[in-house]
Amino acid sequence: MLLIHCPYCDETLPEAEFTYAGQAHVVRPADPSGESDADWEAFLFLRDNAKGPHFERWRHLHGCGRFFNAVRDTVSDRFLTTYEAGLPRPDLSTLTEDQP
Amino acid sequence: MSSHRVAGKGRIDTTRPVSFTFDGRRYSGAAGDTVASALLAHGVHLMGRSFKYHRPRGPVTAGSEEPNALIGTRRGPGRFEPNTRATVQEIWQGLETTSQNKYPSLKWDVGAVNDAGYMLFSAGFYYKTFMWPKSFWDKVYEPFIRAAAGLGVSPSEDDPDRYASRNMHCDVLVVGAGPTGLAAAHSAALAGAKVVLVDEHAEMGGALLSDPDVQIDGAGAWTWLASRLAELRALGVRTMTRTTAIGYYHQNLVGLCEKLTDHLPDLPADTPRERMWRVRAKRVVLAQGALEKPLVFHGNDRPGVMLAGSAQTYLNRFGVLVGKAPVVLTSHDSAWFAAFDLADAGAKVQAIVDTRDSVRDDLRAGASARGIEVRLSHTATGTSGRLRVKSLRVAPLRADQVGAATEIACDAVLMSGGWTPSLHLFSHTKGSLTWDDTQTTFLPKDTPEDCHIAGASRGLWGYEAALVDGDKAGREAAQALGLKIAAGRFEVAQDRTGSGVSHRELPSDRSPARSKAFVDFQNDVTAKDLRLAVREGMRSIEHVKRYTTNGMATDQGKMSNINGLNIAADALGKPQPQVGLTTFRPPYTPTTFGCFAGYHRGSHFEVTRKTPIDGWAEAHGAAFEPVGQWRRAWYFPQPGESMDDAVRRECRATRESVGIFDASTLGKIEVMGPGAVEFMNRMYTNPWTKLGIGRCRYGLLLGDDGYIRDDGVIGRLGQDRFHVTTTTGGAARVLNTMEDYLQTEWPDLDVWLTSTTEQWATVALNGPNAAALLAPLVEGVTLSDDDFPHMSCAECTVAGMPARLFRISFTGEVGFEVNVPAPMGLRLWELLWERGRQYGITPYGTEAMHVLRAEKGYIIVGQDTDGTVTPYDTGMSWAIGKKKPDFVGMRGLARPDLQAPGRKQLVGLLSEDRSKLEEGAQIVFDPNQPVPMKMVGHVTSSYDVGTSGRPIALALVEGGHDRMGEIVHIPMPDRTIAAKITPTVFVDPDNARLKL
């Protein structure tokens, strides 16, 4: 069972308290009706299938209830970092395999 | 004294005799015995029959890796366990054990005919044999395979035992309490770490328990062990015996199965049988040691043939001579010490047969001093004896040529093919391995976990090496936690170091095709099978494994994997590391389902959510159905009524007078805040800005893909407050979706979402007399069409209780839903029940509710929709706020596929022959087209117990809205039913009944 750091609670807690919520930094357009079919298709359906660091969303469902972002290495299954929703993508080159 | 017990030997307590039964016969043993050691003390080796060939088998090991001696154990009703390893199960007064895989008896078994047919039952036998004819599968092949397959007999009674689960946190977890683990725990604890030391055996000490003559720090091994254990406990080390580390999971989570009662004669009232520990350790030291390898030669599975190290354990730990005239067959030095120990205890060792052409002088001197004949450069080519080995056939090897064979009479063969480091838990960490050609084995390399591996499990041999390496691992674990300690010092005398060589099959003069040289004892896989698999085209070790089932038995190949790899690699002509090792998976040893399930059994297996009115429904004879985690009253049968009768009565009563329904399970979400209206506009398809306070609207929730996700009536209670209802099963999902959009897409909105599902009890009254029944109880609202029309809501008082009153209908009748605080729900229900008698009030369940709503064409999300259905498909374009700039799903609805003609649309269906259609049945336009027919939709809802006078159905049909009046066809197994497409509303299409 993974250990996940909730950036809102600032605690590292077992995976069972969290739920996965898909890829991160997929922004819903401000005016969806102005989107082309291709762009809307990409927003709805097209996702990365990263081997290595993957930006994804988690929710501290059985805790504070907040959605937050994380970088998880899909090869080692380790969290490289977690950060609050709305913050920019962290620089991958600065991340180590150690959780804060 | 039993025939093979050696006085003064072993750690058992012969002053405390214990009697137990094996296959109905009573045996005596001593406290501390296992079933295997106690039977061996009586000279009994035959303990089971093998899985495939039903060959007679005895224990080949003394530990948890045992493949052969699997028994059933019984402790009264319900407490039967199959496939227990006799080498692990401790005896207690009254224990009943039975052998397995035999009929009618262990000594005379009919299934052994398979053994004579071994030429037929080779690798891939099932794949090749049970191919044709196809018609034989159901009647002949499958029953045969089912009857033949499976080890032991599954228990058929409920398990009366309890199982517990616990969490634990520690600095250092040490797995294995042999010399390595003891040293590691000691240095880590001395450095100040919080240490937990676990071992699967009843006693700590590992190999030290089998080697009492080793001297450590000037004391005998057992004296040193006792003082070291006392010291560890004084240092605060938590020591846990009979505790198996079954799996190593992410980030140093190790699962432990602690067996608490299987060894006790009387079950304590307050102790679970087993306890599953989830240990989160900062560092883990793996000191699992090494497992001895068998030698692969014809007849190596005969009872009496066992591992030399295990014979040494039986002697030194249990005081049992496994044979009085054993012969030792080895390619490793360690078996020589076993020979010496057995000889010193009075056995007449017939010979030490070593495949190597030279061995250390001290070993040869030891043999000479004891008068043991030594045969170097010898191979074994067979054994004789039916239920017990009688002789070993050996032959000299010269330049790999097998010379003339001779027979050595014996009553046991103690074999050793060297030792395999136990890498199971290390492999669970996804640790990488490296091949060591000298030791012909894999050794641990890197692991991503905070884990140290030490001692024999990383290929070291001898007690001093193990102690030094364990001490170092414990020190390094402590250092990683910022704790410092100097290296420990160990004075070891009479150490038993050694080395050896590795073999594939032993060279033989026997035709390989007629050789039964077992590699996997439990699954009856021979060397011949492995070579056959390679000849038949298996290239990957994973394929060889699955084709032959080598290593796939309950012992997970603890004894067989390396021998299997060596033979497969040879057959493939590749070095072993290129062939690779199959994956070790948890659990390390077979673990009970009870241990995994823990407390989650029976009524605790899953939550059953009940409404405040559930008890009333139960008392009034309701039948229940599960809806999500809820149990809901399904219908209320009266004496003698069938389900159809009851539902028909409930429907009619509701349409004719008044029905009462428990709607408390509906999801309820309070949406409030200055941004509440805007939030609702963005979430739901409908417009909300102009909805007045005190008014309700049917809300439709889509995904951004445009498909229907949920629905429910939503009331506006204030400028900034909405009472949202959701489907019963969708409540948590809807709240999660709302939170997701609110938190991550629209953080600009000042809105709060609160689940209030369990805070409100909801009682629905439906029918022409609903208002008359309710009105006298309501304060603050007049129940008239003018003051409180359909789709109104109000906060008021009902029967003195604070209430949220809704005038809504899911039946097509005048309807009210009264929400009161959950603790008051039952009181309200009982009051309405009492006062409703004058109207013949009838409680109805979910089935009648389904029928009544279907008659009105009201959809149920998830029944009439399936995640690919849009509001247009269901004919609900009226629910879409077309002037809104955006809502979730608006852009999705404009997708080309969702606009395309020919989509499946919701329609009504009336069967021409007035039969009830089957829900889920497929629909075709032309029943005469060739098979496979083009399916154009399916029946989503169908009832024949309603009030419309005939069976009705809802269905999704391609282009259905433009096909009103057309006939479609529903092919069934026995006939094809014609049905007419109709609108979805079967009762009161003008909604006249919704008016008072």
Side-chain angles (χ1 to χ4, degrees), chain B residues 689-756:
Chain B
T689 311
K690 290 183 182 165
L691 182 71
I693 295 169
R695 297 292 296 162
C696 306
R697 182 161 281 167
Y698 171 79
L700 205 48
L701 182 71
L702 309 185
D704 251 329
D705 51 14
Y707 297 131
I708 295 173
R709 291 290 198 281
D710 203 82
D711 68 349
V713 170
I714 294 158
R716 188 166 195 178
L717 296 169
Q719 196 57 39
D720 56 0
R721 182 188 290 265
F722 290 86
H723 178 109
V724 174
T725 66
T726 74
T727 57
T728 293
R733 200 165 52 237
V734 170
L735 183 60
N736 189 67
T737 303
M738 286 182 171
E739 281 287 352
D740 194 351
Y741 279 95
L742 183 60
Q743 289 183 30
T744 65
E745 299 295 349
W746 309 320
D748 54 305
L749 294 181
D750 192 0
V751 176
W752 295 86
L753 306 171
T754 309
S755 166
T756 55

Side-chain angles (χ1 to χ4, degrees), chain B residues 16 694 767:
Chain B
R16 288 162 57 209

Side-chain angles (χ1 to χ4, degrees), chain B residues 118-379:
Chain B
Y118 72 99
M119 299 290 277
L120 299 174
F121 287 77
S122 58
F125 162 72
Y126 289 96
Y127 303 117
K128 293 166 189 163
T129 309
F130 298 115
M131 297 275 286
W132 42 257
K134 191 179 168 190
S135 61
F136 268 41
W137 250 113
D138 290 349
K139 299 268 158 43
V140 183
Y141 293 153
E142 189 164 333
F144 172 79
I145 294 173
R146 293 258 174 251
L151 281 170
V153 179
S154 291
S156 55
E157 301 150 300
D158 280 350
D159 184 346
D161 284 312
R162 286 174 301 111
Y163 300 82
S165 309
R166 289 281 185 279
N167 292 302
M168 179 154 57
H169 296 264
C170 65
D171 292 334
V172 181
L173 172 68
V174 181
V175 177
T180 308
L182 290 167
H186 186 249
S187 59
L190 267 187
K194 187 180 156 195
V195 178
V196 176
L197 174 63
V198 302
D199 195 281
E200 63 176 346
H201 291 97
E203 272 196 284
M204 300 219 155
L208 291 174
L209 299 173
S210 307
D211 261 338
D213 294 340
V214 175
Q215 302 284 312
I216 304 172
D217 298 340
W222 289 358
T223 310
W224 182 87
L225 174 61
S227 69
R228 175 52 58 103
L229 284 172
E231 195 182 342
L232 288 178
R233 286 179 191 123
L235 283 167
V237 173
R238 177 172 192 154
T239 56
M240 299 168 74
T241 53
R242 299 186 182 93
T243 303
T244 306
I246 58 169
Y248 197 135
Y249 307 92
H250 280 301
Q251 289 175 283
N252 273 17
L253 183 77
V254 178
L256 307 178
C257 173
E258 181 183 23
K259 290 182 181 291
L260 294 152
T261 63
D262 276 1
H263 63 291
L264 299 176
D266 300 303
L267 293 181
D270 53 355
T271 307
R273 180 182 177 214
E274 293 174 5
R275 203 178 270 142
M276 177 72 86
W277 291 91
R278 284 181 291 265
V279 184
R280 189 74 76 164
K282 290 183 184 140
R283 312 294 298 186
V284 172
V285 177
L286 296 177
Q288 290 182 280
L291 297 170
E292 196 165 18
K293 268 187 299 190
L295 288 164
V296 181
F297 60 99
H298 179 68
N300 62 344
D301 65 325
R302 215 173 288 286
V305 182
M306 70 160 58
L307 295 169
S310 300
Q312 199 179 330
T313 295
Y314 283 117
L315 175 62
N316 290 321
R317 193 169 157 197
F318 298 103
V320 173
L321 269 181
V322 298
K324 293 183 175 172
V327 58
V328 173
L329 174 66
T330 185
S331 65
H332 193 277
D333 296 340
S334 64
W336 290 67
F337 294 110
F340 298 165
D341 284 1
L342 265 72
D344 294 347
K348 181 155 178 37
V349 177
Q350 301 292 296
I352 298 175
V353 180
D354 200 310
T355 62
R356 299 170 293 177
D357 55 14
S358 72
V359 294
R360 279 181 357 219
D361 289 345
D362 61 310
L363 296 178
R364 300 194 63 163
S368 168
R370 291 170 177 88
I372 302 172
E373 181 193 353
V374 171
R375 299 201 194 183
L376 299 182
S377 289
H378 268 65
T379 184

Side-chain angles (χ1 to χ4, degrees), chain A residues 1-3 26 28 32-33 35-37 40 43-45 57 59 61 65-67 76-78 85 99, chain B residues 249-251 253 280 448-449 704-705 736 739-741 743-745 885-888 890-892 895-896:
Chain A
M1 193 187 300
L2 298 170
L3 292 170
V26 178
R28 189 174 188 273
S33 294
E35 296 286 298
S36 70
D37 283 341
W40 190 247
F43 165 74
L44 281 183
F45 302 122
R57 304 191 314 140
R59 186 181 182 202
L61 182 66
R66 301 295 294 269
F67 287 83
S76 65
D77 212 3
R78 288 286 181 116
Q99 269 224 113
Chain B
Y249 307 92
H250 280 301
Q251 289 175 283
L253 183 77
R280 189 74 76 164
E449 298 289 350
D704 251 329
D705 51 14
N736 189 67
E739 281 287 352
D740 194 351
Y741 279 95
Q743 289 183 30
T744 65
E745 299 295 349
D886 187 30
F887 57 82
V888 173
M890 184 178 183
R891 176 64 185 86
R895 290 196 288 143

Side-chain angles (χ1 to χ4, degrees), chain B residues 395-468:
Chain B
L397 281 170
R398 282 192 195 82
D400 284 341
Q401 293 297 307
V402 178
T406 49
E407 302 264 342
I408 302 175
C410 62
D411 61 356
V413 176
L414 315 185
M415 61 178 167
S416 178
W419 297 78
T420 307
S422 183
L423 294 170
H424 299 76
L425 289 178
F426 184 82
S427 296
H428 296 175
T429 70
K430 304 213 95 181
S432 61
L433 306 178
T434 178
W435 178 255
D436 184 292
D437 225 18
T438 333
Q439 296 193 54
T440 327
T441 193
F442 282 103
L443 294 178
K445 200 173 161 203
D446 302 316
T447 167
E449 298 289 350
D450 295 329
C451 167
H452 312 258
I453 183 163
S457 47
R458 69 179 192 95
L460 302 179
W461 200 245
Y463 289 98
E464 184 166 359
L467 290 163
V468 168

